[in-house]
Amino acid sequence: MQQLQKGDSKLLNAWAFYDWANSVYALVISSTIFPLYYGALFRQKNIEEIILFNFSIRSEALISYVTALGFLIIAFISPLLSGIADYMGNKKFFLKLFCYIGAISCMSLYFFSIDDEKVVLSLISYLLALIGFWGSLVFYNSYLPDIAHKEQQDAISAKGFSLGYVGSVLLLLICLGMVMWVADDYKLQMMRYSFLLVGIWWIGFSQYSYYYLPNNKNDNKLHRNVIFNGFKELLKVWHQLKELKPLQRYLAAFFVYSMAVQTIMIIAAYFGEKEVQWGSDSKRTIGLIVSVLLIQLIAVIGAWLTSKASAKYGNIKVLIFINFSWILICTYAYFVVTPNDFYIAAGFVGLVMGGIQSLSRSTYSKFIPDGTNDTTSFFSFYDVAEKIGIVIGMFTYGYIADVTGKIQNAILFLILFFVVGLLLLFRVPKK
C-alpha cells in the first residue's frame, strides 16, 4: 500500500480510530465491570483481606498497590522506549506491542481469581493490562505531529476523544446487557465474557489504524547512548526548570494536586462498589455503570465551562477555584452512604474532572517559553511527573485504607493534597 501523505483525511481518521479501539479498556476494565467483578469475588468468599507474601492486605489496598506499581513501570519505560522509537522510527512496532500485551491481558482476566494459588498470576494479568493500555498511549499520542499539520491537530485529537467515548460506551452497554439479562448465579460469568470482548474489540478495531499509520523505520542501529536518550531529555528539562520559575512553580502545584485527581478517578468505582449501600448486586451493577456514564457526560460539559471561565478569569484563578471545589467534594464523599449520595458526588466529580485535566495541560503549555524548539521533551517530563504522582497517590490511598481499615480515611487524606496544591497555586503568576 502506498504511504499516505501527512494531513490526508484517511490517515487522520485511521489515527483517531485507535481511540475507538483502546478506550474500552478505560471504561469497561478500569472504571466499571472489573471493579464490580473484583468486589464480587471478595463478597462471594465473605472476606475483606487476603494473604499475599505473608502479608494480610485489604482488597482496596491490594488493587491500589498493584495499580501504583503499574504506573511506576510506565513512568520508567515510557521515556526509555520513546527515545528508541524516535531514533529507529519504529513507533508502530511499539504501538502494536503494547496493544497486544494490553488486549491479551484483558482477555486473561477471564481467569482472574483471588484463590491463594491463582491470585499472583491474576494480579499480573491486571498489571499487564494497565501497562499495555498506558504504554500504547505513549506511542499513539506521539504519532499526532507525524500525521497531522498543526492546524489539524486540535480537531483530529478531539475526534479521537469523541470516537473513544462513543465506542467505549457502546461496548459498556453491551456488557451491561449481558450481565443484567441473566440470573444472579451467572452474572460473574457474563463479566468474564466482558473481559474477553474488551480484548477482541481492542485488537480487532486497531487493525484499521495499523493498516494506514506510517512505519517510518530507518537503518539506524541501536546503541547504548540511544537507549538513555529519553532520560537525558528529561534531565535537560529538569535543569531548564531552574531558570523558568513560573513554570517550575506551576509544575510543583500540578504534581501535588494531580496526585489526588488521578487517584480519585481510578478508585472512584472501587469506592462506589464497596461503600455505597446499593441493596442488591443488580442495583449495584446498574448504579455503578450509571454513575460512570454520568461522570463521562458531565466531564464534557465541565471541560467546556472551564475553557470559557479560563478565557474570562485566567487559567490560574480557575485552577484555584477547581482545587477548592475538589476539597468540598472530598469532604462530601466522606459522608456518602446511599446511591443518591453517590450520584450527586459523581455529578460534581464529572464537572471538575474534565475541567482540571484539560486546563492543567493547556496551562502547562502556556508556561513553556515562546521559541522553545523541543516541546516534546517538556511534555514528556509533564507525563512522567503525572505518572509518578499517580504512584504516590495510589500508594498513599492504599496504605491508609489498609492500616485504618476504612476507605473514607484515605479520602480525607487526599484533601491534604488539594490543600497543598491550592497553596502552591497562589505562588504561581496569574498571567
Side-chain angles (χ1 to χ4, degrees):
M1 187 195 73
Q2 183 179 3
Q3 185 167 303
L4 299 174
Q5 296 297 311
K6 180 176 181 177
D8 188 288
S9 60
K10 189 173 288 186
L11 177 60
L12 297 178
N13 290 331
W15 177 85
F17 198 70
Y18 185 74
D19 253 314
W20 171 283
N22 81 333
S23 292
V24 292
Y25 166 85
L27 200 57
V28 178
I29 302 294
S30 182
S31 299
T32 50
I33 302 297
F34 181 78
L36 283 166
Y37 177 78
Y38 181 80
L41 291 181
F42 282 88
R43 285 197 310 277
Q44 192 178 61
K45 288 181 173 290
N46 197 27
I47 58 174
E48 291 193 355
E49 301 178 351
I50 62 173
I51 305 299
L52 190 64
F53 304 123
N54 295 322
F55 290 99
S56 178
I57 307 175
R58 293 178 64 85
S59 61
E60 61 273 16
L62 177 64
I63 204 70
S64 298
Y65 293 152
V66 177
T67 302
L69 176 60
F71 279 106
L72 183 63
I73 294 171
I74 288 295
F76 177 77
I77 66 174
S78 55
L80 184 80
L81 297 181
S82 294
I84 295 173
D86 287 340
Y87 181 76
M88 300 187 69
N90 55 356
K91 289 180 184 178
K92 186 187 282 190
F93 168 79
F94 284 111
L95 179 60
K96 285 183 175 181
L97 175 65
F98 280 96
C99 163
Y100 295 146
I101 288 173
I104 293 171
S105 298
C106 284
M107 289 189 278
S108 71
L109 290 175
Y110 178 91
F111 304 101
F112 190 97
S113 171
I114 58 172
D115 293 337
D116 292 343
E117 66 275 11
K118 296 179 181 178
V119 66
V120 173
L121 285 176
S122 296
L123 292 172
I124 289 174
S125 292
Y126 172 83
L127 178 71
L128 290 176
L130 184 151
I131 291 172
F133 174 75
W134 289 97
S136 73
L137 283 182
V138 172
F139 301 98
Y140 170 62
N141 291 334
S142 69
Y143 255 116
L144 187 55
D146 297 341
I147 56 99
H149 299 294
K150 283 192 174 181
E151 64 274 13
Q152 297 173 311
Q153 290 176 10
D154 286 343
I156 198 62
S157 180
K159 185 172 185 177
F161 175 84
S162 301
L163 284 171
Y165 175 74
V166 174
S168 57
V169 168
L170 177 61
L171 185 60
L172 177 61
L173 292 176
I174 292 172
C175 295
L176 174 62
M178 289 168 52
V179 173
M180 298 311 301
W181 290 339
V182 297
D184 289 349
D185 292 343
Y186 298 99
K187 290 189 185 301
L188 284 182
Q189 184 62 37
M190 290 299 107
M191 291 180 186
R192 293 189 185 100
Y193 287 142
S194 297
F195 306 151
L196 293 177
L197 282 179
V198 169
I200 294 168
W201 180 290
W202 190 353
I203 290 176
F205 283 115
S206 65
Q207 300 307 311
Y208 176 74
S209 301
Y210 299 150
Y211 185 75
Y212 288 107
L213 286 176
N215 190 15
N216 301 322
K217 189 164 178 59
N218 52 49
D219 296 326
N220 292 336
K221 302 297 182 183
L222 185 63
H223 54 82
R224 187 169 57 183
N225 290 337
V226 173
I227 294 175
F228 295 102
N229 271 350
F231 292 107
K232 290 176 182 176
E233 292 298 315
L234 295 181
L235 189 61
K236 187 166 67 175
V237 172
W238 173 261
H239 289 309
Q240 286 179 271
L241 286 174
K242 296 176 183 178
E243 308 298 325
L244 304 171
K245 289 297 182 184
L247 180 58
Q248 184 186 83
R249 290 182 175 184
Y250 171 70
L251 195 58
F254 165 79
F255 180 74
V256 175
Y257 72 68
S258 180
M259 292 182 198
V261 172
Q262 298 296 334
T263 300
I264 290 170
M265 287 171 57
I266 294 169
I267 59 91
Y270 294 94
F271 173 83
E273 193 279 334
K274 184 169 184 180
E275 297 299 315
V276 178
Q277 297 175 0
W278 297 103
S280 69
D281 286 346
S282 295
K283 290 180 179 178
R284 177 181 286 105
T285 301
I286 295 175
L288 196 61
I289 291 177
V290 167
S291 301
V292 170
L293 292 175
L294 185 66
I295 290 174
Q296 296 285 327
L297 285 169
I298 297 179
V300 177
I301 300 171
W304 179 78
L305 290 174
T306 300
S307 67
K308 294 294 183 183
S310 62
K312 184 174 182 180
Y313 301 107
N315 290 33
I316 300 300
K317 289 182 178 178
V318 174
L319 282 172
I320 288 172
F321 174 79
I322 293 177
N323 269 266
F324 181 73
S325 300
W326 272 112
I327 293 172
L328 297 179
I329 292 169
C330 287
T331 304
Y332 174 78
Y334 182 84
F335 301 100
V336 165
V337 176
T338 68
N340 286 337
D341 294 339
F342 190 67
Y343 291 142
I344 292 171
F348 281 107
V349 165
L351 196 61
V352 293
M353 182 186 77
I356 200 166
Q357 286 184 292
S358 59
L359 190 60
S360 293
R361 196 173 186 91
S362 62
T363 303
Y364 180 77
S365 178
K366 290 180 179 180
F367 274 117
I368 297 175
D370 292 336
T372 300
N373 293 323
D374 197 7
T375 56
T376 303
S377 295
F378 274 88
F379 273 100
S380 178
F381 190 92
Y382 178 91
D383 288 336
V384 170
E386 184 178 48
K387 300 298 182 296
I388 293 174
I390 294 174
V391 172
I392 297 172
M394 289 300 297
F395 182 83
T396 302
Y397 171 86
Y399 180 76
I400 294 173
D402 198 24
V403 170
T404 66
K406 192 175 181 182
I407 294 180
Q408 283 85 345
N409 292 336
I411 291 177
L412 281 181
F413 197 82
L414 292 177
I415 293 175
L416 182 61
F417 289 134
F418 285 119
V419 171
V420 175
L422 185 68
L423 295 175
L424 290 174
L425 279 172
F426 279 109
R427 300 174 65 245
V428 181
K430 301 300 182 291
K431 295 184 180 179

